[in-house]
Amino acid sequence: MADIALQAGICILKHYEKPDTAQKDDGSPVTQADVEAEALIEKALAALLPGVPIAAEEACSAGRLPQVDGAFLLVDPLDGTKDFIARNGQFTVNIALVEAREPVLGVIFAPALGKIWLGANKAVAADVLAGAKLTQARHRRDIKARQQPAEGLVAMASRSHMNAETERLLSALPIAERRPVGSSIKFCQIAEGLADVYVRAGRTMEWDTAAGHAILRAAGGDVRQPDGAPFLYGKRDAKFANGDFIAAGDTSLWD
């Protein structure tokens, strides 16, 4: 699955210098890179895991919602499209496997940064270029989330989705520093022990969070609803939309 994300990076980077941008019905941007990368990923996943339903962002946005009664895959071919258009490097390919409504495997690849994160039984980070194989990755290392620092939490903040409810949730936590970061890299920074929390109120989609959730959980953290209730997947009736959540490296946050 990691090699599929690495191949999708080629589709994305060939459009990086001059993105072709359109607008979806919900007002969010979409590029030719999104479309081509999703087609490649869907075809490769269908060959790798035949019969496993795939909920992919652009297909679902077009109304093609799969039935997901058992295990299924969530795909965001280009998470952080605004960051891609802004050419700041902070965009990712996200692929996750969900079983029993929980993410059990996650892959996040940042093509412009040459970094990949994986989560299943353990969490791993490595440096690798788009189009390479995972076996060619350098500086491969196990990663672990950290305990809450006594001096306060480092919060990952969305570059473009801050709102009053997110501010309210953040105000209840001992935040010492905020760092604006794009896409699912926020989850990965927490999984690496470089930050502590990512708080988000408002609409996100399951393909935005599942891969990061799997990686963070494998690193010892978790993603939960603000009250500590499980954050579950497979909400087809809601078109795979999420509710509010907190991603934390130290699960004692909810104690």
Side-chain angles (χ1 to χ4, degrees):
M1 201 175 290
D3 286 344
I4 296 172
L6 292 169
Q7 287 300 313
I10 294 290
C11 287
I12 292 168
L13 290 181
K14 75 179 184 181
H15 294 282
Y16 192 34
E17 292 300 320
K18 196 174 181 181
D20 299 316
T21 308
Q23 196 172 66
K24 292 190 280 192
D25 290 342
D26 64 2
S28 62
V30 62
T31 71
Q32 190 61 28
D34 293 82
V35 175
E36 290 182 13
E38 181 165 301
L40 182 152
I41 293 167
E42 284 195 292
K43 182 178 180 180
L45 287 175
L48 180 67
L49 297 170
V52 178
I54 302 170
E57 179 177 14
E58 305 312 329
C60 290
S61 295
R64 300 191 298 275
L65 305 175
Q67 294 292 338
V68 291
D69 298 328
F72 71 101
L73 293 150
L74 283 161
V75 173
D76 191 339
L78 179 48
D79 184 33
T81 300
K82 291 180 181 178
D83 295 291
F84 175 74
I85 295 167
R87 300 186 67 252
N88 64 26
Q90 295 188 351
F91 52 88
T92 59
V93 179
N94 300 350
I95 305 174
L97 175 65
V98 175
E99 294 180 350
R101 304 196 67 192
E102 297 192 344
V104 296
L105 187 154
V107 177
I108 293 176
F109 175 48
L113 304 180
K115 293 185 178 295
I116 194 167
W117 297 266
L118 314 168
N121 296 325
K122 63 179 181 178
V124 174
D127 300 336
V128 63
L129 297 177
K133 298 288 188 182
L134 184 62
T135 53
Q136 297 172 292
R138 298 176 298 111
H139 305 130
R140 185 165 177 160
R141 58 209 180 272
D142 294 349
I143 56 175
K144 277 288 184 186
R146 68 186 185 186
Q147 294 183 326
Q148 295 186 49
E151 62 271 22
L153 306 177
V154 174
M156 296 284 93
S158 172
R159 290 184 180 278
S160 53
H161 297 286
M162 192 57 64
N163 56 40
E165 180 59 16
T166 298
E167 290 287 0
R168 187 190 70 79
L169 292 170
L170 281 167
S171 70
L173 300 173
I175 305 299
E177 180 186 351
R178 296 190 192 189
R179 295 178 189 164
V181 177
S183 71
S184 291
I185 294 171
K186 293 184 280 290
F187 295 99
C188 301
Q189 294 274 289
I190 299 170
E192 288 201 65
L194 302 174
D196 303 294
V197 294
Y198 167 36
V199 176
R200 181 69 182 270
R203 182 181 173 88
T204 61
M205 307 304 291
E206 294 188 12
W207 43 78
D208 294 321
T209 59
H213 189 166
I215 292 165
L216 181 54
R217 179 174 284 180
D222 205 359
V223 179
R224 300 180 190 174
Q225 296 180 51
D227 64 0
F231 192 73
L232 301 176
Y233 295 82
K235 302 180 290 294
R236 185 181 187 275
D237 290 347
K239 298 182 179 179
F240 299 102
N242 288 325
D244 301 349
F245 67 83
I246 298 175
D250 186 343
T251 58
S252 69
L253 181 84
W254 291 284
D255 291 347

